[in-house]
Amino acid sequence: MSPAPAPTPAKKRMGAPAAPALPPDAAPAKMRMGSGSGTTTMPPPDTPAPGISPATPRESGPAAPAQGLASASADPAKPSGKQGDPGARRGTGFGFPWTKRLAALAGLLAIALVVVLASRWLLTVQSVEEFVATYDGHASQPVGAPTGLPAWLGWQHFLNMFFMVLIVRTGLQVRNERKPPGYWTPKKDSLFSPKGNTPKKVSLTQWLHQSLDVFWVLNGLVFMVLLFVTGQWMRIVPTSWDIFPNMLSAGLQYAALDWPMENGWIHYNALQVMAYFITVFIAAPLAIISGIRFSTWWPEKATRLSKAYPVEWARAVHVPVMVYYVAFTAVHVFLVFFTGALRNLNHMYTSRDVVDWWGLVIFLGSLVVVAAAWLLSKPLFTSPVAAKMGKLSK
């Protein structure tokens, strides 16, 4: 007798129900066929079933239910993740729905409202009123502290902003990039590969980040020298213990939206003094010390030093310092524009205690320069410069 003809695809689709009709717990049992007593042995996937020609595709014979079993074992509640699958797009933005983000924002606004109302109530309490009257938010300054801001401080302010924007941007790129645009290896015994080190291959983005760090540090050294030579350090360094009660007073006034009197041309309030002091004398050195640890400058043969100062410690410091700088900049810009923008911008960019538009014009021009540098920091423009300082590779 001739063997029975192989079923056509149409008959296969109209035949017995496919494996998905089985109960969900049937799939694991079927996958264990032949492993327990009283069970039959499942033939290998490539073995033709009786009555099926070896040339018959696996999709059109009894092998098809095996695929159904595999698909039935998958959890139907889990989205496939394929493009176009609505379940894969359900969580949007940072991995959670927009409703949670809006709820978090609403919660923060509610907390802020409670803080404002509580602070305004506190200012009506007699003892708190007396405290604010005694400590108005401005700590004592040394006798002979300079008045006003010199022109060099305006240039320093612009250069610090310029470098910090690009340093934060490239730092985030180094942290998040999966496939760098290219790699760079410094020349042996050069600026980026000190004597005794083997030239370390790094991403092109890290080279740019490290190069910007050099200019930022040099600018900072000039700033520190001028700060002490001209006596401007007295305006941003706490020199009296009354800095602490005045910080509390200024913070309470800010929280109540009844902000302390601003006259940065003569005297910063206590919170400003402490913020500038931390930024210049604490955050900046921490950024430098932590950044050197995972740069090409770190001495690779200093085994004991590397063990005493693990790279994990440096990373645990470097990232929070970056977050601090971003937060400081955001608050700084906010206060500049909401406590007398034109006067403040003239203080910072024209070194004049006047209210006109020149400070704003120069500030907007500085933003154009930063935006142009942002565009020019792309690999298309930085690669030729990097090639002169080392070797580029893919």
Side-chain angles (χ1 to χ4, degrees):
M1 292 179 64
S2 60
T8 62
K11 291 181 179 179
K12 180 249 178 182
R13 290 193 297 270
M14 297 176 62
L22 296 174
D25 58 349
K30 288 293 183 180
M31 299 305 293
R32 293 193 299 270
M33 292 180 68
S35 60
S37 59
T39 58
T40 58
T41 303
M42 177 179 280
D46 294 331
T47 303
I52 303 300
S53 169
T56 304
R58 292 176 60 190
E59 295 85 89
S60 59
Q67 295 181 348
L69 290 174
S71 62
S73 64
D75 187 357
K78 294 181 180 179
S80 63
K82 294 180 181 179
Q83 188 175 4
D85 185 356
R89 299 193 304 270
R90 193 170 300 157
T92 58
F94 302 100
F96 51 93
W98 279 98
T99 53
K100 291 185 178 180
R101 298 178 67 181
L102 292 175
L105 179 60
L108 290 175
L109 291 176
I111 293 173
L113 179 61
V114 170
V115 170
V116 170
L117 294 177
S119 300
R120 296 186 71 86
W121 172 79
L122 281 173
L123 289 178
T124 63
V125 178
Q126 183 177 356
S127 58
V128 177
E129 283 185 305
E130 294 174 354
F131 174 81
V132 173
T134 304
Y135 301 100
D136 63 354
H138 293 77
S140 303
Q141 281 191 159
V143 178
T147 299
L149 303 175
W152 66 264
L153 200 55
W155 279 102
Q156 283 286 323
H157 191 278
F158 162 71
L159 291 173
N160 272 310
M161 177 189 71
F162 177 85
F163 290 125
M164 284 307 304
V165 168
L166 298 178
I167 286 173
V168 170
R169 178 184 184 240
T170 54
L172 290 174
Q173 287 177 326
V174 170
R175 182 174 175 81
N176 298 322
E177 67 183 359
R178 294 294 176 265
K179 186 178 180 182
Y183 292 92
W184 178 81
T185 306
K187 298 177 181 178
K188 189 175 178 60
D189 298 337
S190 63
L191 173 64
F192 288 90
S193 182
K195 190 173 182 180
N197 276 12
T198 302
K200 185 187 300 183
K201 182 179 180 180
V202 297
S203 70
L204 187 61
T205 312
Q206 183 173 336
W207 163 80
L208 179 58
H209 181 76
Q210 201 166 322
S211 300
L212 291 168
D213 287 339
V214 173
F215 290 106
W216 178 68
V217 171
L218 292 176
N219 183 66
L221 291 175
V222 173
F223 172 79
M224 294 291 283
V225 171
L226 292 174
L227 195 68
F228 284 96
V229 168
T230 60
Q232 286 288 327
W233 66 270
M234 289 184 279
R235 290 168 51 88
I236 64 171
V237 175
T239 57
S240 173
W241 289 108
D242 67 352
I243 185 74
F244 296 107
N246 278 290
M247 285 174 58
L248 180 59
S249 174
L252 184 59
Q253 294 175 66
Y254 276 124
L257 301 183
D258 185 16
W259 294 353
M261 295 295 295
E262 294 290 340
N263 192 356
W265 188 255
I266 298 174
H267 196 177
Y268 295 128
N269 69 53
L271 283 179
Q272 289 175 311
V273 171
M274 185 59 70
Y276 291 139
F277 174 76
I278 292 174
T279 301
V280 174
F281 295 100
I282 297 178
L286 285 177
I288 296 170
I289 295 172
S290 58
I292 288 177
R293 179 60 183 89
F294 36 82
S295 70
T296 61
W297 293 309
W298 186 257
E300 60 184 21
K301 295 181 180 180
T303 307
R304 292 183 179 179
L305 184 60
S306 298
K307 187 175 181 180
Y309 184 23
V311 69
E312 291 79 12
W313 291 8
R315 189 171 289 111
V317 171
H318 204 65
V319 175
V321 169
M322 180 206 69
V323 174
Y324 168 81
Y325 270 109
V326 173
F328 170 82
T329 303
V331 174
H332 181 60
V333 171
F334 175 83
L335 291 177
V336 164
F337 278 90
F338 285 89
T339 58
L342 295 180
R343 181 182 293 272
N344 290 333
L345 290 173
N346 272 308
H347 290 176
M348 296 160 59
Y349 288 99
T350 69
S351 299
R352 298 178 303 145
D353 186 27
V354 296
V355 179
D356 60 23
W357 294 92
W358 279 110
L360 178 61
V361 170
I362 296 175
F363 169 71
L364 293 176
S366 69
L367 292 183
V368 172
V369 174
V370 172
W374 183 293
L375 295 176
L376 293 174
S377 65
K378 293 183 177 180
L380 175 65
F381 304 104
T382 59
S383 295
V385 180
K388 294 181 179 181
M389 302 175 62
K391 177 183 178 183
L392 295 182
S393 59
K394 290 293 185 180

